[in-house]
Amino acid sequence: MTDPKVLLKITNLTVHYGAIQALRGISFEVREGEIITLIGSNGAGKTTTLHAISNIIRKTAGSVVFDTMDISALPPDRIVAAGLVQVPEGRRIFANLSVKDNLEMGAYLRKDKLAGDMEMVYGLFPRLKERRLQVSGTLSGGEQQMLAMGRALMSKPRLLLLDEPSMGLAPILVDEIFSIIRRISENGTTILLVEQNAFKALGLASRGYILETGQVIKTGPAKDLMKDDAVKKAYLGG
Ligand SMILES: Nc1ncnc2c1ncn2[C@@H]1O[C@H](COP(=O)(O)OP(=O)(O)O)[C@@H](O)[C@H]1O
Ligand SMILES: [Mg+2]
């Protein structure tokens, strides 16, 4: 069997914030249909990596190829339109808008009919359907995460970038969010999952990359990383 094709290829990604080098030449790839996880503690460079891919911060060097297109210099809205969509850390929903209006905003680049996709999102997140007319700022943290993911799905991504979806959520909600991520993957969307929760992320992903101070220090099948002594010690509580 041949491997699925490479959907995202990152080569030598390098980012500076002023004099500080946040990414030191990161390379990795995501194949079609995979769930890949990028694991690292606070400040490792996870969010910077996603922002560099989405081209919302400036790269010092490196390239990002999505499918067959070099998107390194493409404007962020064109990247979304091409099918690469980021769910930001901290959710960033429109707090004053209803759930339904937030979901519609996710489709602002589309010109086709939305109704079917709205139902698809409500099917994945029945709680959002119940609360579709509620002002989003009054949703719980877990519901806001669901809304941020639902909004991203409204733009029909081929590749979804998730930035710490479990952050600040109670364990039972973390389980719920992770099982929904699995369903999104089963529905055909490729996923790049950034997490501090290494245990949960490696449980879901096929492969992982460990990021430390802006460098990939280890990579491999998720089940091998789970058994790796250094990974266990640093990220899985011994
Ligand atoms: N806007 C910024 N200006 C200056 N330094 C930043 C900025 N954003 C992030 N950094 C620094 O870059 C490094 C990586 O940050 P970040 O990508 O947010 O890490 P993570 O998402 O893994 O927690 C950290 O040292 C952080 O302090
Ligand atoms: Mg971050």
Side-chain angles (χ1 to χ4, degrees), residues 6-211:
V6 174
L7 187 57
L8 181 72
K9 188 169 178 57
I10 307 299
T11 309
N12 190 35
L13 202 60
T14 307
V15 172
H16 289 80
Y17 294 110
I20 296 168
Q21 189 169 8
L23 295 186
R24 300 166 181 275
I26 289 182
S27 300
F28 64 91
E29 62 185 38
V30 182
R31 290 177 179 272
E32 199 149 53
E34 279 191 308
I35 302 178
I36 290 301
T37 187
L38 201 60
I39 286 162
S41 45
N42 205 11
K46 303 182 297 300
T47 297
T48 301
T49 302
L50 297 189
H51 284 176
I53 293 170
S54 297
N55 203 19
I56 51 185
I57 55 169
R58 217 181 121 257
K59 297 176 262 301
T60 318
S63 76
V64 180
V65 176
F66 181 53
D67 202 349
T68 53
M69 179 167 44
D70 189 328
I71 61 165
S72 311
L74 208 62
D77 59 328
R78 300 262 316 271
I79 292 178
V80 171
L84 199 165
V85 182
Q86 184 174 347
V87 179
E89 184 178 326
R91 290 104 205 197
R92 309 271 183 82
I93 53 162
F94 302 103
N96 298 326
L97 298 184
S98 70
V99 166
K100 179 169 168 286
D101 289 345
N102 264 281
L103 292 177
E104 283 173 358
M105 294 292 277
Y108 78 104
L109 289 169
R110 292 174 45 190
K111 293 182 177 67
D112 50 337
K113 288 235 161 56
L114 304 182
D117 298 298
M118 214 69 168
E119 282 313 308
M120 177 272 293
V121 168
Y122 286 145
L124 275 173
F125 305 101
R127 262 197 247 197
L128 294 183
K129 184 167 192 176
E130 286 165 22
R131 291 164 172 78
R132 62 190 177 281
L133 301 179
Q134 188 170 323
V135 173
S136 303
T138 61
L139 296 173
S140 73
E143 291 159 0
Q144 292 192 11
Q145 181 60 44
M146 292 175 191
L147 179 55
M149 287 165 61
R151 186 179 57 186
L153 290 174
M154 288 300 291
S155 50
K156 293 200 172 178
R158 294 176 65 197
L159 175 62
L160 195 59
L161 312 179
L162 296 169
D163 196 348
E164 299 211 39
S166 78
M167 190 194 271
L169 301 184
I172 187 156
L173 272 169
V174 174
D175 289 347
E176 194 175 337
I177 293 288
F178 272 72
S179 69
I180 292 168
I181 295 171
R182 188 185 292 281
R183 281 180 60 196
I184 293 169
S185 162
E186 287 165 357
N187 289 348
T189 306
T190 306
I191 291 173
L192 175 58
L193 169 66
V194 156
E195 266 294 340
Q196 280 191 60
N197 191 335
F199 185 74
K200 296 292 295 181
L202 289 172
L204 194 62
S206 56
R207 296 187 295 117
Y209 293 85
I210 310 284
L211 197 59

